[in-house]
């Protein structure tokens, strides 16, 4: 097998691999870098000659895995795009949202190349999606040769897949983004328990283990208790969330806590793409028993759309629990603007339910100490940090020890590291080297062909 990592930087960015096995060539994911804009946010697609791949395979509908797909599909004109059935529904909605975001960025950032693709192109991509059932092998034939592809549920987010690829005697497993634990809204990964020659693994959480005594359950309890304390104290709570998966999971957690009388009654507000996706999750939950989020959660909690005009330095007119995108409090999103209204008052709280990149406003806020000033650059507003600001580890990625154990149990000769920052990859490389019968560890150099 030959692999070329087309993500220009070794990080969780524009994820994209070119995979070559015998006569077969395919693209594995095609993302857009969440911290970059314009052409610089795309994978190195110029490395691919036009119409040179047999298919494109997409593991799930997060933008760091699909954001570059429409551009890649423009030059790889007729090949099918393999997705799971839930991803077939979610992907076009996520890409259309991305066009809207890019149209806004064109003016905000003065980038004339935006949008990188159009609504019409997304429609054509939608026509090329080929749904793959979990657990059912799909065979490609070329020049008398066979390639077998099988999707397995990866947990992480609705529709996410780990992928088994078999060519002649060579067996490869790609984890994609993986969560083994069950969420309230989604069953965890169900991967094959067999040996592989090569495992290509994500390394997202490699840099940090969970502190002793901390579990998903204790973090969830702490999270709910922090919401309850703030509401009981007369403040408002902001929970910045990702629209796809996280908003629905947080709403489910809140409903469960309400039923267990761990949370007081309060107004609940949500907004944007995440609310739209509720309908998609409702449809998916009726078709796939592994996905569990119904629209009635909104009625049970009496969730209201955000209609207030938010202003920096001014608390919202109604106290309550605000579950708003974006998850990393990116500039000018509802969570960013509301944070500027809540931060200066000690009775409020801003509670992050997942990871924040240190360079995003959310990451910078988490690094700010109580009482220090925080600058909302995009609003030209500075506030002292008096509200409670805290992060809770409710990650949608497997813990590093779990992934390591999975890889180890597959007895691979080669392990390829992807989807992680350099320190995260380094932890995996070191841990793998200590294994009995240590595999060869490959941390691909972006853009360079590596033989596996
Ligand atoms: Zn993901
Ligand atoms: Zn990802």
């Amino acid at each position: 097998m030959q692999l070329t990592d087309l993500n220009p930087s070794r990080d969780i960015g524009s994820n994209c691999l070119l995979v070559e096995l015998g006569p077969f060539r395919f693209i594995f994911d095609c993302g857009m870098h969440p911290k970059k804009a314009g052409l610089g946010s795309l994978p190195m697609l110029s490395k691919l000659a036009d119409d040179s791949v047999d298919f494109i395979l997409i593991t799930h509908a997060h933008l760091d895995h699909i954001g570059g797909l429409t551009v890649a599909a423009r030059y790889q004109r007729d090949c099918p795009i393999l997705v799971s059935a839930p991803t077939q529904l979610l992907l076009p909605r996520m890409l259309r949202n991305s066009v809207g975001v890019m149209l806004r960025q064109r003016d905000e950032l003065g980038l004339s190349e935006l949008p990188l693709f159009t609504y019409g192109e997304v429609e054509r991509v939608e026509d090329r999606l080929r749904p793959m059932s979990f657990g059912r092998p799909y065979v490609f034939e070329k020049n008398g040769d066979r390639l077998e592809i099988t999707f397995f549920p990866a947990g992480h987010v609705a529709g996410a897949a780990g992928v088994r690829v078999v060519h002649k005697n060579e067996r490869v497993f790609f984890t994609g983004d993986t969560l083994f634990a069950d969420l309230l809204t989604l069953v965890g990964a169900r991967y094959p328990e067999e040996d592989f020659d090569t495992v290509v693994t994500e390394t997202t959480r490699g840099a940090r283990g969970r502190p002793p005594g901390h579990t998903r359950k204790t973090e969830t309890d702490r999270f709910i208790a922090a919401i309850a304390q703030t509401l009981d104290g007369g403040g408002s709570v902001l929970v910045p969330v990702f629209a796809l998966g996280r908003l629905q999971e947080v709403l489910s957690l809140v409903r469960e806590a309400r039923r267990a009388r761990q949370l007081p009654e309060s107004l609940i507000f949500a907004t944007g793409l995440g609310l739209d996706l509720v309908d998609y999750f409702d449809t998916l939950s009726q078709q796939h028993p592994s996905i569990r989020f119904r629209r009635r959660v909104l009625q049970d909690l009496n969730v209201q759309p955000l209609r207030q005009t938010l202003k920096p330095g001014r608390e919202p007119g109604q106290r309550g629990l605000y579950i708003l995108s974006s998850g990393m409090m990116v500039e000018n999103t509802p969570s960013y603007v509301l944070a500027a209204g809540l931060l200066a008052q000690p009775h409020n709280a801003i509670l992050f339910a997942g990871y924040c990149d240190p360079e995003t406003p959310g990451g910078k806020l988490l690094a700010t100490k109580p009482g220090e000033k925080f600058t909302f650059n995009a609003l030209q507003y500075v506030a002292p940090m008096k509200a409670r600001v805290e992060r809770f580890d409710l990650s949608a990625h497997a813990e590093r020890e779990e992934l390591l154990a999975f890889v180890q149990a597959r007895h691979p000769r080669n392990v390829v590291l992807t989807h992680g920052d350099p320190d995260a990859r380094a932890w995996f490389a070191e841990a793998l080297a200590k294994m009995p019968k240590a595999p060869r560890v490959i941390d691909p150099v972006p853009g360079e062909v590596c033989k596996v």
Side-chain angles (χ1 to χ4, degrees):
M1 178 171 69
Q2 295 200 139
L3 278 182
T4 313
D5 192 347
L6 298 178
N7 176 5
S9 43
R10 276 201 183 99
D11 60 5
I12 305 166
S14 34
N15 296 291
C16 186
L17 291 171
L18 170 67
V19 185
E20 297 169 273
L21 270 158
F24 298 97
R25 279 165 65 88
F26 63 92
I27 300 173
F28 187 93
D29 281 336
C30 195
M32 179 183 274
H33 202 294
K35 283 188 291 172
K36 298 176 184 169
L39 290 166
S41 66
L42 291 175
M44 295 182 273
L45 296 173
S46 58
K47 294 251 173 202
L48 300 169
D50 289 1
D51 301 321
S52 64
V53 304
D54 300 300
F55 58 91
I56 301 172
L57 186 159
I58 296 292
T59 58
H60 65 291
H62 279 149
L63 211 61
D64 59 321
H65 298 259
I66 64 167
L69 171 63
T70 321
V71 179
R74 190 184 294 154
Y75 303 103
Q76 309 298 330
R77 277 168 293 196
D78 296 318
C79 67
I81 301 165
L82 313 188
V83 292
S84 70
T87 299
Q88 184 184 23
L89 183 71
L90 295 167
L91 181 148
R93 179 67 186 87
M94 296 299 287
L95 287 181
R96 282 198 293 275
N97 189 67
S98 177
V99 176
V101 170
M102 287 189 287
L103 285 168
R104 281 200 301 278
Q105 282 180 334
R106 180 173 59 188
D107 301 329
E108 283 169 19
L109 307 174
L111 286 171
S112 58
E113 73 246 41
L114 292 178
L116 297 175
F117 50 90
T118 64
Y119 291 113
E121 283 182 302
V122 173
E123 232 168 84
R124 290 195 285 282
V125 161
E126 189 169 2
D127 291 340
R128 288 169 58 184
L129 299 179
R130 181 181 294 175
M132 304 273 290
S133 300
F134 285 126
R136 198 177 299 164
Y138 187 88
V139 175
F140 277 85
E141 294 192 10
K142 188 176 182 181
N143 309 342
D145 218 338
R146 282 163 56 93
L147 185 76
E148 187 192 282
I149 305 275
T150 314
F151 278 33
F152 293 88
H156 182 62
V157 76
V163 181
R164 180 176 66 196
V165 179
V166 181
H167 174 250
K168 294 187 173 160
N169 293 325
E170 193 169 1
R171 305 173 69 80
V172 185
F173 193 78
F174 296 80
T175 68
D177 289 7
T178 295
L179 177 65
F180 291 107
D182 291 345
L183 296 171
L184 278 183
T185 50
L186 182 68
V187 168
R190 299 286 185 267
Y191 284 165
E193 293 181 1
E194 61 200 44
D195 285 0
F196 288 100
D197 299 293
T198 302
V199 177
V200 181
T201 184
E202 67 130 312
T203 59
T204 314
R205 291 174 59 112
R208 231 191 305 158
R210 233 186 238 279
H214 284 224
T215 62
R216 183 169 287 276
K217 168 86 173 73
T218 60
E219 286 296 281
T220 306
D221 291 347
R222 270 191 342 109
F223 175 62
I224 295 296
I227 298 174
Q229 283 157 11
T230 308
L231 294 174
D232 284 338
S236 285
V237 179
L238 164 64
V239 182
V241 288
F242 298 103
L244 176 59
R246 189 44 59 109
L247 174 124
Q248 297 80 15
E249 179 72 12
V250 168
L251 285 174
S252 298
L253 287 171
V254 166
R255 183 172 69 162
E256 205 178 69
R258 274 257 188 100
R259 284 179 171 169
R261 305 202 177 280
Q262 293 163 335
L263 275 183
E265 292 290 320
S266 71
L267 296 172
I268 299 181
F269 300 93
T271 191
L273 174 64
L275 266 190
D276 253 32
L277 288 171
V278 159
D279 287 336
Y280 288 67
F281 275 74
D282 191 73
T283 306
L284 290 173
S285 298
Q286 294 173 58
Q287 296 162 350
H288 306 276
S290 59
I291 303 170
R292 300 178 290 226
F293 184 86
R294 301 303 300 270
R295 190 189 293 114
R296 65 169 177 270
V297 175
L298 296 184
Q299 282 109 52
D300 292 352
L301 292 173
N302 193 19
V303 175
Q304 301 177 33
L306 187 70
R307 292 220 177 80
Q308 316 166 42
T309 317
L310 302 172
K311 291 227 168 82
R314 197 180 302 166
E315 292 196 71
Q318 291 168 295
R319 296 262 160 98
L321 169 59
Y322 291 79
I323 305 170
L324 308 181
S325 53
S326 74
M328 298 197 196
M329 253 177 60
V330 169
E331 278 92 351
N332 294 323
T333 56
S335 65
Y336 182 82
V337 183
L338 182 64
L342 298 181
L343 194 64
Q345 299 300 328
H347 55 233
N348 296 325
I350 301 171
L351 309 175
F352 292 88
Y355 176 72
C356 270
D357 185 284
E359 287 167 41
T360 59
K364 287 178 185 163
L365 184 64
L366 281 163
T368 305
K369 296 198 172 61
E372 283 180 1
K373 288 196 164 59
F374 183 82
T375 306
F376 292 86
N377 283 320
L379 299 169
Q380 297 188 329
Y381 169 69
V382 182
M385 190 171 102
K386 295 198 174 157
R388 174 178 185 173
V389 175
E390 210 170 333
R391 177 178 172 261
F392 301 85
D393 186 352
L394 305 174
S395 173
H397 288 271
E399 287 173 45
R400 59 187 187 178
E401 288 81 8
E402 293 176 294
L403 267 176
L404 187 68
F406 168 76
V407 172
Q408 213 160 355
R410 308 282 77 83
H411 306 106
R413 284 184 288 111
N414 310 295
V415 176
V416 182
L417 307 176
T418 59
H419 200 281
D421 292 330
D423 49 351
R425 293 170 193 238
W427 181 88
F428 273 91
E430 204 174 302
L432 288 163
K434 285 187 199 144
M435 273 169 50
K437 285 199 186 164
R440 181 165 74 112
V441 177
I442 299 153
D443 187 1
V445 178
E448 284 186 17
V449 180
C450 58
K451 286 193 174 20
V452 180

